[in-house]
Amino acid sequence: MEIDGCIGVALVDHTSGMALGTLGGGKELDLTVAAAGNTDVVRAKLRAMEMLNLSEKIEDILITLDTQYHMIRPLTSRQGKGLFLYVALRKDRANLAMARHQLRRIENDLDV
């Protein structure tokens, strides 16, 4: 929630679609529903990369809406394998470059 414009964050298991932890959200954004829905996004992208024989790792997936940014960052550590961070931001308050930088830092500091 330290990222400017943050509406909510979740740590999600993309094998089950379950949010392991959430912060923020509320009436404006149901993070458990968002976690399950964005699991499908991650799975689809991983399948597409496999079909294209791409061996690169996903840094993040960005979805832009009229008033929001939704960022998905798969964790790359061995302990975080199968997990991703999901962050929803207010477009009018967020700096996308800074948000990506801060999310990378949060991933590095995260102890799963």
Side-chain angles (χ1 to χ4, degrees):
M1 295 296 294
E2 296 175 8
I3 300 172
D4 285 342
C6 188
I7 299 167
V9 298
L11 177 64
V12 185
D13 177 350
H14 80 67
T15 56
S16 68
M18 298 212 33
L20 304 177
T22 62
L23 192 58
K27 195 169 57 169
E28 188 176 357
L29 177 67
D30 185 332
L31 289 168
T32 56
V33 172
N38 284 296
T39 295
D40 293 334
V41 172
V42 172
R43 289 178 186 162
K45 186 59 190 171
L46 290 172
R47 272 193 314 274
M49 289 176 64
E50 186 178 322
M51 290 187 298
L52 293 168
N53 292 319
L54 296 175
S55 59
E56 297 184 49
K57 292 182 179 142
I58 300 170
E59 280 187 27
D60 51 42
I61 299 168
L62 173 64
I63 301 166
T64 58
L65 305 176
D66 290 338
T67 62
Q68 298 176 1
Y69 294 124
H70 291 229
M71 292 176 41
I72 300 166
R73 184 169 186 90
L75 301 185
T76 56
S77 69
R78 271 193 313 170
Q79 303 94 317
K81 195 138 179 89
L83 303 177
F84 67 88
L85 288 169
Y86 165 74
V87 179
L89 304 164
R90 286 185 182 85
K91 207 173 189 180
D92 63 347
R93 294 197 46 222
N95 177 318
L96 192 53
M98 284 303 296
R100 289 185 71 221
H101 174 73
Q102 289 174 287
L103 196 55
R104 188 177 314 115
R105 183 183 48 80
I106 290 167
E107 176 190 4
N108 289 333
D109 293 346
L110 193 62
D111 187 21
V112 182

